[in-house]
Amino acid sequence: MILGIYGAGGLGREVYELAETINKARTDPYWGNIVFISDIDSEKEIWGIPVLRYEDFVLRFSAKFTQIAIAVGEPFGREHIRKKVIASNYHLATLIHPICRISPRAIILEGCIVNFGCNISYDTMIGTNTFLQPSCGIGHGSQVGEDSVISAGVRIAGNVSIGNQVYVGLHSAIREKISIGDAAIISMCSSIQRDVPNEMIAAGNPARIIQKNNDHKVFKPKM
């Protein structure tokens, strides 16, 4: 099986190391060949691994024997790439670090990436193509929508509902029974005590709504 990692930046390299760890934990490595995919001009290779543009990747690797992991930190970028990959008949790869605690009653959908040390409780559901960075905790009965990014060290209490294309920043905490709307952004180290509507940005401890997420971008150019 071939693994294409869509994204050749820092997050892509983290996903490569995760795939390496998963392979080493198996008696028979699942991915015999791993390559990077990038839509921008970048290095021709990283750590000796080729970096291909998507159109070249499609020509070289059959969808029948290939999976793609999306290693992009922008939720709407994740959605865009997911739709493109599925339109090309590729399947999304699901990567789960072997050192995680995941309830057998949790549901993790296709394309999710769950990195080291995550704790996912019972009756939770993690939506398609969502990325959980290291050491996240997700309480019982909570749901996270598709194409979302939950940053390292985030704590989500029980019965929380998080929408699609949501970004939750580093070390934030969300109290029980809170609802976070689609395309919302939670800034790093925030404490969410109240619901956050669709397309809103919340920040602070306790968090408050600071503005609308008009451009659907998390990472903005520095002024």
Side-chain angles (χ1 to χ4, degrees):
M1 183 68 71
I2 308 298
L3 177 64
I5 298 175
Y6 209 130
L11 200 58
R13 297 170 208 218
E14 287 185 11
V15 172
Y16 177 83
E17 290 192 332
L18 173 57
E20 273 191 321
T21 299
I22 293 169
N23 266 349
K24 288 175 182 176
R26 296 170 56 98
T27 54
D28 55 331
Y30 188 69
W31 299 289
N33 190 14
I34 303 175
V35 301
F36 289 104
I37 305 167
S38 178
D39 287 331
I40 60 174
D41 292 328
S42 61
E43 303 103 316
K44 298 299 182 184
E45 61 178 45
I46 296 169
W47 301 334
I49 300 139
V51 181
L52 303 177
R53 295 189 72 85
Y54 185 66
E55 53 267 30
D56 296 327
F57 180 88
V58 169
L59 290 173
R60 187 175 299 188
F61 297 110
S62 165
K64 185 176 180 180
F65 304 106
T66 305
Q67 296 179 327
I68 294 179
I70 300 174
V72 171
E74 286 280 1
F76 278 87
R78 297 186 66 79
E79 179 195 33
H80 171 74
I81 294 169
R82 171 176 59 82
K83 290 179 177 178
K84 180 165 68 171
V85 163
I86 290 171
S88 301
N89 296 317
Y90 288 103
H91 285 286
L92 297 176
T94 302
L95 285 76
I96 300 175
H97 196 287
I99 303 178
C100 288
R101 184 200 172 278
I102 299 175
S103 168
R105 295 171 181 83
I107 298 172
I108 297 176
L109 297 182
E110 184 181 67
C112 287
I113 298 173
V114 182
N115 216 327
F116 173 85
C118 290
N119 188 331
I120 301 174
S121 190
Y122 67 89
D123 292 346
T124 58
M125 186 172 75
I126 312 300
T128 301
N129 191 37
T130 282
F131 198 120
L132 272 58
Q133 294 184 336
S135 301
C136 294
I138 301 181
H140 60 83
S142 291
Q143 297 193 11
V144 181
E146 60 189 22
D147 309 311
S148 293
V149 176
I150 310 299
S151 300
V154 167
R155 294 293 181 264
I156 298 170
N159 298 304
V160 169
S161 175
I162 295 177
N164 301 322
Q165 294 90 45
V166 171
Y167 184 91
V168 182
L170 191 73
H171 293 297
S172 292
I174 303 173
R175 68 167 293 175
E176 69 278 1
K177 300 181 180 179
I178 290 291
S179 176
I180 309 292
D182 294 342
I185 296 174
I186 308 301
S187 295
M188 63 185 298
C189 298
S190 294
S191 175
I192 305 299
Q193 308 289 330
R194 298 181 180 179
D195 292 349
V196 178
N198 293 348
E199 299 185 309
M200 291 297 175
I201 301 174
N205 183 4
R208 60 185 180 86
I209 305 299
I210 57 172
Q211 66 184 73
K212 188 170 183 180
N213 182 18
N214 290 310
D215 58 3
H216 291 168
K217 286 188 178 296
V218 177
F219 304 105
K220 298 174 174 59
K222 292 182 179 179
M223 302 301 291

